[in-house]
Structure formats: C-alpha cells, structure tokens
Amino acid sequence: MAETKRPSALRVGSAPGRWVLLTTVLGSSMAMLDSTVVNVALPRIGKDLGADLAGLQWTVNAYMLTLAGLILLGGALGDRYGRRKVFVVGVVWFAVASLLCGLAPDATVLVAARALQGIGGALLTPGSLALIQASFHPDDRARAVGLWSGLGGIGAAVGPFLGGWLVDGPGWRWAFLINVPLAALCVPVALRHVPESRNPQAHGRFDVLGAVLAAVALGLVTYALIEAPERGASAVVLGCAVGGVLVAGAFLYVERTRADPMMPLTLFASRQFTAINVVTLCVYAAFSGFFFLTALQLQVVVGYSALQAGTAMLPTTVLMLFLSARSGALAQRIGPRAPLTVGPLLCAAGMLLMLRVGAGSSYVTDVLPAIVVMGMGMVTLVAPLTATVLASVDTGRAGLASGINNAAARAAGLVAVAALPLLAGMGPDAYRSAAEFGATFDRAMPMCAGVLVLGALIALCTVRNPGPDAHVPQCRTNCSVAAPPLEPDSWDRTA
C-alpha cells in the first residue's frame, strides 16, 4: 500500500521530533561544512597535489557542476521513491565520495571524487527540508524549520574554525574525511527514527534527459572557460564553448516540449519570477567569485594561515545568522525592490574595499571593514530574494520555483569560478606568486562589483513590490555565507 503524503504529525518537543531534526541537521551540515572548508583548503591542496589554478577551479566546480545539474532531479526522486530513502542514499553517497576525496593521490582523482560528491549532494540537499515538511504537524512546521535554520547557522559559524584547524593541523584531507563519521551517525538515526514519506501523486517519469543536457552544457562551457588561459582559442576550447551553447539550446527545447519537464518554461511567464532569477544569477556569480578568490588572496598575498583566512570571513556568517530574519521582516513591510537594489550595491562596495587588502594589510583597518560591508549587503538582499521567489508564482508551485532558483544560483557560481580568472588574466601558476595573484585579484574585484551593480539595476527596473494585501513569505533558511537560495521544497512540486 502506498504511503500517505504525510504519514505522521510529529511535534518539535517530542523525542521523535528531535530525532528528525537531528537527522536533517546532520545531513545538511555535511554539505555546509564541505562548502565552507574547501575554499580555505585550496592553497594547501594545490601545493600537496601539484595542481595549477585550473586544478583548483575544477576542485570547486566539479562539485557544483553535478549538484546544479541534478538537484531538481534529486527532489523528484525523493517525492517518488521516498524522501527518507533518497536522503539516506544521498548521505551514504556523499560520505563515500568524501572518503575518495580524502584519499585522492592526485588532482584528477580529487576532481572526479568531487563530481561524485555533487551527485550525493543533489540527493540529500532537497531531502532535509522535505523531511521536516512531511514529518511535522502543520502547527509545528515553521518552528521546526526555524530550529533547523538556527542549528545550521551555528554549523556555518563553526565551519571556518573547524576547517582552518583541520587544514593547518591534521591536513586538508580531513576536511573531506570528517564527513564519514557524520554520515555514520546520521544514517542509523534516519533509518530508525525518521518516518518515510512519499508524494502519492508523483509518477515514475523523470526528466533524466533534461538533467543530463543541463549538466553537459554547464560542463562544456566550464571546461572552455577554465582551459582558455592555457590553451587559448584552440579547436578544443572553441569546440567546447560552441558545443555548450548548442547543448543548452537542446535543453531549452526539451524543457519546452516535454510533458513533464524538470524546469517548466511556463514559470518564466511571470515577469517577477524571471526578474528575480536574473538578479540571482548576477548576485551569486559575484558571491562565488568573491569567496573563491578572497580565500586565496588572504593566504597567498596577505600571508594568513588557513585558520586565519577562514576566521577572517566569519563576520559575514555572524551577521547573516543574527540579522537575516529582521531583513526578511523589513522586506515584507516595504517590498523587495529596495532591498534587492540596495543589497547588491552594499556588496559591491564591500568588494571594492577589498582592493585595500594586500601584503602587510591590517585585519582591523583593511579586511574587517570590507567583510562587514559585504555581510550587511548579503543580510539586506538574501532573505528578500528567497521570499520574492516564493511569492512570484502560485503557492502550489513554490517548491519548484525555489528549486529552480537554487539551481540558478549554483550554475551562476559554477560559471563565475570558471570565468573570473580568465577575465582577470590569471595564469595557471598565478596563485603561487603573491605579486601576480595580488595584481589579478585587484582586477577581479571590480568585475564582481560590476556584476552586482548590474543586478541592482535589474532589480530596480524590473522587480515589483506587492500590493498592500499581498503576502510575502518570510525566508525559511539560515541564509548563511555558503547557502544559496531556499532549497527545493520537493513536496510541493506536483500541484
């Protein structure tokens, strides 16, 4: 007999409810810690494995590539086959891939293992919130999500300390190996204490072709951008670039003609939804480029250790943790246009302040002001961005809309990490020279700031404030430094 959509109505204060929260926090913390730690570990990874800048880019992008391409498919699989089951498979998959990352003998194996990690992330990421939504009583659901968000925010705050300590102490491999004991705790708890749930209306047809085409298109474009600095306008680079564009066109055709696409193009008939996703592309492209390059700048040029570099960016996470809810409430009162215009401009100002950071810089007078301004900008825009995505479509399609927005953010970060070093003129060995990397960093930050200004202008011109009787949902995530917009609420997908 098919399981019901919500087989139980747990209460937050009950023992079963606490077990579900523990499981979802453990699962999401694996992905959170991984994204927090890897950027900080990049210089040590490059040194130990003899990787050039392209190798470091692929270390970040291989994970984002498979995650961005498959995250919507992962949510649909949970709806159909069981959210707990797919979540557990994702946790195990992620842990095995993390073990392979920790044991990687060279950069090639590490990149391949990171791609496998992304597949695991695409299975477990949608499941965290889906399990909460399916398991808790409607009256306790908002409180459960709030607890999940708060505990996740604490994990994000601890991440830089833990990551830096691991890289400087036991070594960068432990930044991946730490996921194994977390999974060993998470899986038995999930199997024993988390109720299974499915969407009884979900069918067995999945847009596998669309997911494959999306991943291939992103992969070809990413390869062309990363290899261009070394290979130039070679036949391989140009072929991959053109091939990526053609495959992207095929993806759009499939999504337009398929009966059950993973990304229904009809959603983009909403001007608000389209505008918010374009703003998302600008904002998260700049964010990803900033955090990728800043982690290297602080270590390569300023001379920080991995722990110091991770800790240096902690104020951004703290500001997000404590002020995002208030930002969401403010946006609900005044509308999203102002926050989505002012927020990117503040972030752009923070990135331009990073031009003062170089060899011999003071943390208090040079680094901290830039990080605080950047954090205030993120506080201003991230929660309203998420809430506006949800409000831009019918309630029944809010989960799908947030999932598409999530994938857009990851795809933007993927392309930015690939393209920014090329545009800034970074050579393959740039991160091994403080002088060379510092000069190219100074060229890259204005580019990131320019993309944010573009996003602010788009928001000002295209985002509409709701009418006086409209309800704008509040942000339901921890909105941390490493977090993209709201994770896909796969339980709403079939409406």
Side-chain angles (χ1 to χ4, degrees):
M1 179 180 296
E3 295 182 59
T4 60
K5 186 176 181 181
R6 293 186 179 96
S8 58
L10 303 180
R11 293 291 185 172
V12 169
S14 67
R18 288 193 290 268
W19 282 116
V20 171
L21 280 173
L22 174 63
T23 302
T24 56
V25 169
L26 284 173
S28 59
S29 293
M30 290 172 60
M32 181 69 69
L33 285 173
D34 190 80
S35 60
T36 302
V37 171
V38 169
N39 279 350
V40 175
L42 288 175
R44 199 67 56 84
I45 291 173
K47 180 179 179 180
D48 288 356
L49 299 183
D52 58 11
L53 182 62
L56 301 188
Q57 289 172 278
W58 277 117
T59 299
V60 174
N61 276 353
Y63 175 81
M64 289 199 291
L65 175 61
T66 50
L67 181 59
L70 301 176
I71 193 169
L72 288 176
L73 181 61
L77 289 171
D79 286 346
R80 175 65 177 84
Y81 293 112
R83 296 171 183 125
R84 184 188 66 180
K85 180 185 297 182
V86 173
F87 174 81
V88 168
V89 170
V91 170
V92 173
W93 189 304
F94 194 92
V96 172
S98 297
L99 179 62
L100 294 176
C101 290
L103 300 176
D106 54 48
T108 301
V109 174
L110 177 60
V111 169
R114 287 283 286 163
L116 291 175
Q117 254 193 327
I119 298 174
L123 296 176
L124 75 87
T125 298
S128 294
L129 280 173
L131 287 173
I132 291 176
Q133 177 76 3
S135 301
F136 282 95
H137 190 281
D139 293 343
D140 278 14
R141 204 168 292 142
R143 183 184 174 198
V145 172
L147 288 171
W148 175 86
S149 301
L151 293 171
I154 294 172
V158 172
F161 291 103
L162 178 62
W165 178 80
L166 288 172
V167 173
D168 288 339
W172 64 265
R173 295 181 184 276
W174 281 96
F176 299 105
L177 296 176
I178 193 174
N179 291 322
V180 177
L182 288 176
L185 177 60
C186 181
V187 170
V189 171
L191 293 176
R192 181 176 177 84
H193 297 285
V194 176
E196 183 60 284
S197 64
R198 294 179 177 87
N199 185 339
Q201 298 178 356
H203 51 67
R205 299 185 303 273
F206 302 104
D207 189 8
V208 177
L209 177 60
V212 171
L213 289 174
V216 170
L218 288 171
L220 289 173
V221 171
T222 300
Y223 181 86
L225 292 171
I226 290 178
E227 295 298 321
E230 185 172 358
R231 295 175 179 262
S234 65
V236 173
V237 169
L238 293 177
C240 287
V242 173
V245 173
L246 293 176
V247 174
F251 167 74
L252 294 176
Y253 175 79
V254 168
E255 298 308 285
R256 183 171 64 86
T257 58
R258 189 178 176 90
D260 51 353
M262 71 175 189
M263 191 183 77
L265 298 185
T266 54
L267 280 175
F268 293 92
S270 165
R271 176 185 173 187
Q272 187 88 327
F273 181 74
T274 302
I276 289 298
N277 277 284
V278 174
V279 173
T280 296
L281 291 173
C282 295
V283 165
Y284 280 91
F287 286 173
S288 297
F290 172 82
F291 287 111
F292 173 72
L293 295 179
T294 298
L296 290 169
Q297 174 79 356
L298 293 177
Q299 295 179 73
V300 174
V301 178
V302 183
Y304 285 1
S305 66
L307 177 58
Q308 289 172 322
T311 306
M313 293 185 282
L314 182 61
T316 303
T317 306
V318 174
L319 289 170
M320 294 288 290
L321 179 62
F322 287 104
L323 298 180
S324 285
R326 295 184 180 182
S327 172
L330 176 63
Q332 188 176 18
R333 290 197 300 270
I334 68 174
R337 180 184 294 166
L340 295 182
T341 301
V342 174
L345 295 178
L346 282 174
C347 290
M351 292 182 183
L352 293 177
L353 285 174
M354 284 297 297
L355 296 175
R356 303 171 58 209
V357 176
S361 293
S362 163
Y363 177 74
V364 174
T365 60
D366 298 318
V367 180
L368 183 59
I371 296 298
V372 169
V373 173
M374 176 77 180
M376 291 304 299
M378 294 181 70
V379 165
T380 303
L381 74 92
V382 172
L385 185 74
T386 301
T388 309
V389 168
L390 295 175
S392 65
V393 298
D394 295 337
T395 302
R397 309 187 86 183
L400 178 59
S402 63
I404 291 173
N405 189 249
N406 188 295
R410 308 221 186 233
L414 171 72
V415 174
V417 171
L420 198 56
L422 169 64
L423 296 175
M426 293 184 183
D429 297 318
Y431 81 95
R432 295 190 174 101
S433 167
E436 182 180 353
F437 190 87
T440 53
F441 180 85
D442 288 346
R443 292 195 290 268
M445 285 301 101
M447 295 177 189
C448 291
V451 173
L452 285 166
V453 172
L454 176 61
L457 291 174
I458 292 171
L460 178 63
C461 296
T462 62
V463 173
R464 302 188 308 272
N465 287 330
D469 297 327
H471 171 69
V472 180
Q474 300 256 6
C475 177
R476 294 188 292 167
T477 65
N478 58 3
C479 301
S480 66
V481 172
L486 185 66
E487 306 293 1
D489 298 343
S490 58
W491 55 88
D492 289 331
R493 182 171 288 106
T494 59

